[in-house]
Amino acid sequence: MRLQKALVFLPTAVLACALATPARAEIWAFRDRNGVTHYSDRPLSARYELLYRGSGMGGPIAKPGAGVRSYATAVTQMELSTRFKAVRHLIREAASQNGLEFELLQAVIATESGFDPGAVSPKGAVGLMQVMPDTAERFGVRPQGKRSVSELLTDPRTNLMAGSRYLAWLLSTFGGDVRLAIAAYNAGEGAVFKAGRQVPDYPETRDYVRKVTGLHYSLRPPNTVTQSRTLGPAAGMPKPAGGA
């Protein structure tokens, strides 16, 4: 969110992440003679091929060699991730409560934090959905005693509810246009308004939109038909930060 990235997910293993350091995660893979696909954040041997370029290094790439058939196939391995399993029920809860498609929310979280609730960006975005504290306050998160909003956002449920409410509001604000909502989640709604309700011409934002929409497409069940929807602003929701 807001022109900062955390870590790209690693489907079958925990991707090491250093707090407050720029993410340059990659996913490398090879399939052994028993048909088991192995993943790493770096090439451990010549058998590994680059499957996914992390944040700031370009979008997803599919490489047919080494038995890795496609990017979509690799994405489904997310289901085996311990991190993803730990928060899957919370993602479903947040999606249901805020009228979001589960797979879209899943794609955003995978791109933002790699399902790491403790991820913190250099600019202060926190947790699973890399929520900025000021944005969280716009959507109902308040300090509790000595615990700041930033600290509260490390709680997976709190983070998901704040981030998903913001994403749902963005979808409403931009008439159900997923690409614009995703662009605004990354760059801020003001940047999208300034660009004339188009995806801003920021390389990082365009790359982000490409990654999230690609993941979203890959994660959706077969024969799912996209239904456009225009949501009315929920009662009590904040007004746009810029434009109209």
Side-chain angles (χ1 to χ4, degrees):
M1 185 187 296
R2 300 299 178 88
L3 292 179
Q4 80 286 323
K5 288 281 116 0
L7 296 171
V8 179
F9 68 91
L10 183 60
T12 59
V14 174
L15 180 63
C17 71
L19 298 184
T21 57
R24 292 183 62 84
E26 296 178 337
I27 298 175
W28 294 74
F30 88 92
R31 181 168 295 176
D32 64 24
R33 66 181 64 184
N34 296 317
V36 177
T37 303
H38 301 261
Y39 296 89
S40 175
D41 59 345
R42 60 189 182 281
L44 299 178
S45 73
R47 296 175 295 178
Y48 283 80
E49 290 196 16
L50 183 61
L51 187 66
Y52 188 90
R53 290 192 179 99
S55 176
M57 300 176 68
I61 58 171
K63 303 202 74 172
V68 181
R69 292 188 175 184
S70 69
Y71 174 63
T73 299
V75 171
T76 63
Q77 298 299 317
M78 189 188 306
E79 296 291 336
L80 301 177
S81 166
T82 302
R83 278 183 180 168
F84 173 63
K85 288 179 179 179
V87 297
R88 178 169 47 195
H89 65 294
L90 297 177
I91 298 172
R92 289 198 181 280
E93 176 186 356
S96 176
Q97 289 194 18
N98 292 286
L100 294 172
E101 187 178 3
F102 171 76
E103 290 80 12
L104 176 59
L105 192 54
Q106 183 182 4
V108 170
I109 299 164
T111 305
E112 287 287 348
S113 70
F115 305 103
D116 179 6
V120 180
S121 82
K123 294 188 178 181
V126 181
L128 291 167
M129 294 190 71
Q130 290 291 273
V131 182
M132 296 294 287
D134 60 343
T135 300
E137 291 200 55
R138 286 174 61 196
F139 290 88
V141 182
R142 298 289 183 270
Q144 296 180 3
K146 294 183 178 180
R147 299 192 69 193
S148 67
V149 171
S150 293
E151 291 173 320
L152 293 172
L153 287 173
T154 61
D155 171 69
R157 179 177 272 107
T158 300
N159 191 286
L160 287 169
M161 286 301 175
S164 60
R165 284 195 75 203
Y166 180 44
L167 182 58
W169 178 78
L170 289 171
L171 281 165
S172 172
T173 298
F174 294 107
D177 190 314
V178 173
R179 293 182 74 254
L180 292 185
I182 293 302
Y185 194 87
N186 175 258
E189 64 267 22
V192 177
F193 286 126
K194 186 176 180 180
R197 288 181 175 263
Q198 301 293 324
V199 176
D201 193 21
Y202 305 150
E204 181 179 329
T205 299
R206 290 185 175 276
D207 183 54
Y208 179 82
V209 171
R210 184 169 63 250
K211 288 177 182 177
V212 173
T213 55
L215 281 168
H216 179 211
Y217 179 83
S218 297
L219 290 166
R220 299 174 77 208
N223 303 320
T224 298
V225 177
T226 302
Q227 297 180 349
S228 61
R229 60 194 178 105
T230 302
L231 304 174
M237 286 291 190
K239 294 182 179 180

